[in-house]
């Protein structure tokens, strides 16, 4: 089983839709979690960190479920500009920082 | 967020030559830098992790003699692709994390084409 797993998609949704991605991780000792966004032929950019209590930034909401070992990203009111690959990153290193990337979930928002 | 630069952004070279890519953290001290490779429409693949002043830790399957990594200071790491071959053509991305930041920040990437 891979350490960090994501459904590669693509998720094809119309503008205005709500879409959610999950990311599961295998190491129960994982400490920190992040969502990155990567546009085609560009570097990944940090979208948001994922806190135990969950966090929201505008149309984006991230949640952590430690019991089931997954994190989620919810995007409300999708925009065309949200089309990208969303990468889940899990720090599996315990005290040190060892990031493990999921393979990414592709989102396509169409008019 | 922090800024990480990478140079060059694009390089085209002949087979057999060596190419050096620089990764700099511009406004923070990067205790750890990561080097990734990404082929078209594929996921990021971690090549190695380097901590300032110590030898890099390479992922399984990555040849350390072919991909030389130097992390001589808290703001600079270099990746040298030695004796490059066409199959080394890829998008190479560095990232950095430091004591102030729990997350990592990525450089803009270097697109290497080996003819």
């Amino acid at each position: 089983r891979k350490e960090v797993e994501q459904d590669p998609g693509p998720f094809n949704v119309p503008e205005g839709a709500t879409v959610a991605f999950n990311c599961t991780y295998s190491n129960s000792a994982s400490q920190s979690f992040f969502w990155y966004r990567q546009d085609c032929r560009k570097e990944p950019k940090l979208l948001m960190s994922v806190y135990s209590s969950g966090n929201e930034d505008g149309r984006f909401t991230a949640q952590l479920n430690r019991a089931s070992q997954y994190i989620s990203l919810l995007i409300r009111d999708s925009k065309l500009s949200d089309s990208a690959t969303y990468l889940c990153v899990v720090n599996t290193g315990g005290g040190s920082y060892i990031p493990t990337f999921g393979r990414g979930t592709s989102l396509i928002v169409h008019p | 967020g922090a800024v990480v630069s990478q140079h060059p952004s694009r390089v085209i070279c002949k087979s057999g030559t060596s190419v050096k890519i620089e990764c700099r953290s511009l406004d923070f001290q990067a205790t750890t830098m990561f080097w990734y490779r990404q082929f078209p429409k594929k996921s990021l693949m971690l090549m190695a992790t380097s901590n300032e002043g110590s030898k890099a830790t390479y992922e399984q399957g990555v040849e350390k003699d072919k991909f030389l990594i130097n992390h001589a200071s808290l703001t600079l790491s270099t990746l040298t692709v030695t004796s490059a071959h066409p199959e080394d053509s890829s998008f190479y991305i560095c990232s950095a994390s430091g004591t102030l930041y729990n997350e990592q920040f990525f450089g803009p990437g270097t697109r290497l084409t080996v003819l």
Side-chain angles (χ1 to χ4, degrees), chain A residues 32-34 36 38 41-46 49 87 89 91 97-104, chain B residues 10 32 34 36 38 41-44 46 49 91 93 97 102-109 111:
Chain A
S32 50
F33 310 86
F34 309 91
Y36 282 76
Q38 185 176 25
R41 300 171 72 86
K42 298 285 187 183
E43 78 276 20
K45 292 188 186 295
L46 180 65
S49 303
L87 302 167
V89 181
N91 175 14
Y97 185 68
I98 303 177
T100 302
F101 278 79
R103 60 177 296 183
Chain B
R10 181 182 294 269
T32 306
F34 306 87
Y36 295 85
Q38 188 174 36
K41 298 188 179 181
K42 298 292 183 183
S43 57
L44 282 171
L46 179 65
T49 302
F91 190 44
I93 311 174
S97 67
N102 192 21
E103 61 266 27
Q104 48 180 333
F105 297 92
F106 286 83
R111 196 160 299 281

Side-chain angles (χ1 to χ4, degrees), chain B residues 13 16-21 37 47 65-68 79-85 88-89 92 112 114:
Chain B
C13 69
T17 59
S18 293
V19 176
K20 180 186 278 190
I21 303 169
R37 181 166 54 180
M47 298 175 68
D65 294 329
K66 180 167 182 61
F67 299 99
L68 302 177
L79 167 68
T80 301
V81 183
T82 62
S83 187
H85 290 285
D88 298 324
S89 299
Y92 291 87
L112 170 64
V114 185

Side-chain angles (χ1 to χ4, degrees), chain A residues 4-8 22-24 35 86-88 101-105:
Chain A
V4 179
E5 292 200 62
Q6 290 182 255
D7 181 345
N22 280 347
C23 167
T24 58
W35 283 104
Y86 291 84
L87 302 167
C88 161
F101 278 79
R103 60 177 296 183
T105 297

Side-chain angles (χ1 to χ4, degrees), chain B residues 45-86:
Chain B
M45 187 190 82
L46 179 65
M47 298 175 68
T49 302
S50 74
N51 292 296
E52 184 264 340
S54 59
K55 289 184 179 180
T57 301
Y58 289 80
E59 295 298 301
Q60 197 171 12
V62 179
E63 300 174 56
K64 62 179 181 181
D65 294 329
K66 180 167 182 61
F67 299 99
L68 302 177
I69 291 172
N70 185 289
H71 190 167
S73 76
L74 285 171
T75 59
L76 173 65
S77 176
T78 60
L79 167 68
T80 301
V81 183
T82 62
S83 187
H85 290 285

